[in-house]
Amino acid sequence: MEKQVKEKNELWEWTKALLIAFAIAAIIRYFLFTPIAVDGESMMPTLEDGDRMIVNKIGYKIGEPKRFDIVVFHAPEQKNYIKRVIGLPGDTLEYRDDQLYINGKPIDEPYLDAYKAQITEGTLTEDFTLEDLGVEHGEIPEGYVFVMGDNRRYSKDSRHIGIIDQKEIIGNTSLIFWPFSDIKIVK
């Protein structure tokens, strides 16, 4: 009889431990960090199609997106996109002769150097202003960001879907965890 009680207690302890472990894993997954797979080539060469990344969901609950952060957001097509933040609230933004200008000043984008070196004809990023894209007063409003993929010629981004409400941003990402041979932190 004593042996049965001991076995029941041990079984109950194991069950509690597993339930607690699953609860902690669920809290981490749904509130703190979540995995995501890169789908497509719009962020090449920074991110490859099929890369698996960790999304930090709490960073923007306590802070704001920063210029050049790589973010995951809910796109209008009911899917999640991974893009780079280029423009912040209050910014004016323009591309001219493959050069980014923010608030009238040229801004370097070193993550594009590899692609720009490969271009033999034309530019990586076509010329545009925010006014050309229909952004009122040519300035990003409060609570919104302008995002672009690094593979500018083949990226569906704010040039096509408009500026992004910061409420739609799930989080930022910089850690590739799969494939194992490519584990790294990207900038």
Side-chain angles (χ1 to χ4, degrees):
M1 182 77 157
E2 190 176 309
K3 186 177 179 183
Q4 283 181 327
V5 170
K6 189 175 180 181
E7 285 177 2
K8 274 187 178 178
N9 283 342
E10 191 172 323
L11 179 62
W12 174 241
E13 291 302 316
W14 275 103
T15 303
K16 282 194 314 190
L18 286 172
L19 288 173
I20 291 169
F22 283 126
I24 291 170
I27 288 168
I28 289 170
R29 172 133 164 67
Y30 292 105
F31 296 107
L32 304 176
F33 302 98
T34 192
I36 192 165
V38 176
D39 181 20
E41 299 178 346
S42 72
M43 282 298 292
M44 285 181 62
T46 308
L47 305 175
E48 302 283 333
D49 184 35
D51 282 349
R52 303 268 193 274
M53 304 187 74
I54 298 290
V55 179
N56 174 354
K57 295 173 119 179
I58 59 172
Y60 297 146
K61 301 237 188 288
I62 57 176
E64 298 285 319
K66 294 177 189 61
R67 191 173 329 282
F68 305 135
D69 281 357
I70 298 174
V71 297
V72 177
F73 62 94
H74 299 299
E77 292 88 14
Q78 304 305 317
K79 73 185 268 192
N80 295 332
Y81 279 11
I82 301 175
K83 304 292 179 196
R84 189 178 297 274
V85 174
I86 303 297
L88 299 170
D91 283 348
T92 60
L93 192 140
E94 174 182 9
Y95 250 95
R96 190 175 58 234
D97 299 323
D98 224 4
Q99 174 65 56
L100 170 64
Y101 294 88
I102 296 178
N103 303 322
K105 297 180 180 154
I107 304 293
D108 288 332
E109 295 179 283
Y111 50 86
L112 296 179
D113 290 345
Y115 257 165
K116 285 183 177 181
Q118 296 173 7
I119 295 177
T120 58
E121 200 172 301
T123 60
L124 179 62
T125 310
E126 74 280 354
D127 292 355
F128 70 88
T129 66
L130 289 178
E131 288 172 333
D132 295 340
L133 302 176
V135 176
E136 198 170 319
H137 308 297
E139 183 177 297
I140 300 169
E142 198 61 40
Y144 289 83
V145 294
F146 187 92
V147 298
M148 294 177 76
D150 291 355
N151 189 357
R152 302 290 166 79
R153 289 182 171 182
Y154 304 101
S155 177
K156 189 172 187 181
D157 49 39
S158 285
R159 296 171 292 173
H160 310 96
I161 62 174
I163 54 177
I164 305 301
D165 188 327
Q166 289 182 18
K167 293 175 191 161
E168 297 299 320
I169 297 176
I170 298 167
N172 66 326
T173 184
S174 60
L175 175 65
I176 297 173
F177 71 89
W178 184 265
F180 284 126
S181 60
D182 293 338
I183 291 176
K184 64 183 171 186
I185 293 178
V186 294
K187 302 263 184 220

